[in-house]
């Protein structure tokens, strides 16, 4: 049973970075991909359903850590307390930007909360990168954590750029059609240059608005693997440590009866969200609360 829960924990953590990582990366690039307020409104409206679905993975990861690995949870929270605080603050700031940006009218109000979305997304990326590096180096925050933070931020920005190219009908930074009105949100080349500056030029080669849906989906799958690779590598190296810190068998049996039946529902809900709010659907067919 302990091996089953370790595999499930790995799936949840990898799934978080592969799916929610796309939203984090898109939030990081929001000011560049949405050069006008209308463009940013469209990007946020398109990504909002995926944000809500992606956060389920984080809640599941935290719940599994607390329930299945109570000793490991204490060591992680104590050893990485500053990074955990940064993660929580960044999460709150990013979500506050999403929830509050349309609670009042006025360009200054929305622009301010859009900055909070970007700031919180960068905070999440950097904090996660530093935390994963610290976990890999024995729960110690060293200068190497800065390199890990920068590396994961680059991977998530790369992932967010691919997500934008796949999700938005006119391209994340191209000419976006909103009903009968066309809103210019910059050029694809400009977004490619920004992403290239962050990622060493690689993002500029991602498929743009003219690319086929299959090519965009393939690029998104590839960047999802890259975004989840650091977490997968960490899990591979720390699996023995996790198994040593697993809760007693009786606890795992109770958790299995309570939680495992919900796993198919969670997976099915994720599939439904990605099929329902995918390209050419979310921003055009459904109203957005964000």
């Amino acid at each position: 049973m302990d091996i089953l829960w370790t595999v499930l924990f790995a799936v949840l953590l990898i799934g978080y970075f592969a799916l929610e990582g796309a939203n984090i990366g898109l939030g990081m690039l929001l000011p560049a991909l949405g050069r006008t307020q209308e463009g940013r409104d469209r990007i946020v409206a398109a990504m909002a359903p995926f944000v809500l679905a992606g956060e389920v993975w984080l809640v599941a990861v935290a719940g599994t850590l607390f329930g299945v690995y109570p000793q490991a949870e204490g060591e992680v929270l104590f050893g990485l307390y500053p990074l955990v605080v940064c993660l929580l603050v960044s999460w709150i700031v990013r979500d506050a930007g999403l929830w509050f940006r349309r609670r009042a009218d006025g360009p200054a109000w929305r622009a301010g909360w859009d900055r909070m979305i970007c700031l919180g997304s960068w905070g999440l990326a950097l904090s996660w990168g530093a935390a994963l590096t610290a976990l890999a180096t024995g729960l110690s925050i060293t200068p190497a954590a800065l390199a890990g933070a920068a590396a994961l931020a680059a991977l998530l920005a790369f992932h967010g750029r691919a997500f934008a190219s796949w999700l938005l009908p006119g391209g994340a930074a191209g000419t976006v059609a909103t009903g009968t009105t066309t809103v210019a949100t910059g050029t694809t080349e400009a977004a490619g240059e920004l992403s290239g500056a962050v990622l060493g030029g690689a993002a500029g080669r991602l498929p743009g608005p003219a690319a086929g849906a299959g090519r965009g989906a393939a690029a998104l799958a590839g960047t999802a693997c890259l975004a989840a690779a650091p977490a997968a590598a960490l899990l591979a190296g720390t699996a023995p440590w996790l198994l040593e810190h697993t809760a007693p068998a009786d606890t795992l049996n109770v958790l299995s009866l309570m939680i495992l039946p919900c796993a198919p529902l969670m997976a099915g809900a994720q599939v439904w969200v990605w099929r329902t709010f995918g390209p050419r659907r979310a921003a055009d067919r459904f109203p957005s609360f964000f």
Side-chain angles (χ1 to χ4, degrees):
M1 190 62 70
D2 53 349
I3 295 178
L4 173 62
W5 274 103
T6 300
V7 171
L8 179 60
F9 181 71
V11 170
L12 292 173
L13 187 61
I14 291 172
Y16 170 77
F17 283 102
L19 299 181
E20 177 63 6
N23 301 313
I24 295 174
L26 187 52
M28 293 165 64
L29 301 178
L30 180 61
L33 298 182
R35 297 299 181 89
T36 66
Q37 188 61 63
E38 293 84 356
R40 291 190 293 274
D41 287 346
R42 184 173 177 79
I43 291 173
V44 173
M47 69 182 282
F50 300 93
V51 171
L52 298 176
E55 289 180 340
V56 173
W57 292 87
L58 181 58
V59 174
V61 167
T64 303
L65 180 63
F66 293 160
V68 180
Y69 308 105
Q71 295 180 358
E73 169 260 328
E75 294 181 18
V76 169
L77 292 184
F78 180 79
L80 304 181
Y81 183 77
L83 294 178
V84 173
V85 172
C86 289
L87 276 171
L88 291 176
V89 171
S90 299
W91 186 16
I92 292 171
V93 168
R94 196 275 302 264
D95 280 22
L98 289 170
W99 286 99
F100 290 147
R101 67 184 304 275
R102 297 190 69 170
R103 303 290 75 80
D105 293 326
W109 174 270
R110 289 196 187 181
W113 287 113
D114 287 343
R115 295 188 188 97
M116 293 298 101
I117 295 174
C118 181
L119 178 63
S121 298
W122 275 98
L124 283 169
L126 294 172
S127 298
W128 270 119
L132 293 179
T133 305
L135 286 169
T137 56
L139 294 176
S140 57
I141 303 176
T142 64
L146 297 177
L152 185 63
L155 290 174
L156 293 182
F158 193 26
H159 191 22
R161 177 66 180 90
F163 183 50
S165 295
W166 172 80
L167 180 61
L168 297 175
T175 301
V176 177
T178 55
T180 58
T181 304
T182 299
V183 180
T185 60
T187 64
T188 304
E189 291 78 13
E193 290 174 2
L194 174 77
S195 301
V198 177
L199 309 169
R205 296 190 294 273
L206 287 172
R215 186 182 173 193
L220 181 61
T223 57
C225 292
L226 290 176
L234 174 67
L235 289 166
T238 58
W241 180 77
L242 284 174
L243 290 172
E244 292 175 359
H245 290 74
T246 306
D250 291 341
T251 301
L252 295 182
N253 290 334
V254 173
L255 290 174
S256 298
L257 291 174
M258 295 174 58
I259 298 176
L260 290 183
C262 299
L265 296 177
M266 176 179 170
Q270 297 292 325
V271 172
W272 177 82
V273 167
W274 282 77
R275 288 180 62 88
T276 302
F277 300 99
R280 297 177 298 278
R281 295 175 183 175
D284 297 325
R285 290 174 48 192
F286 301 97
S288 175
F289 184 72
F290 300 98

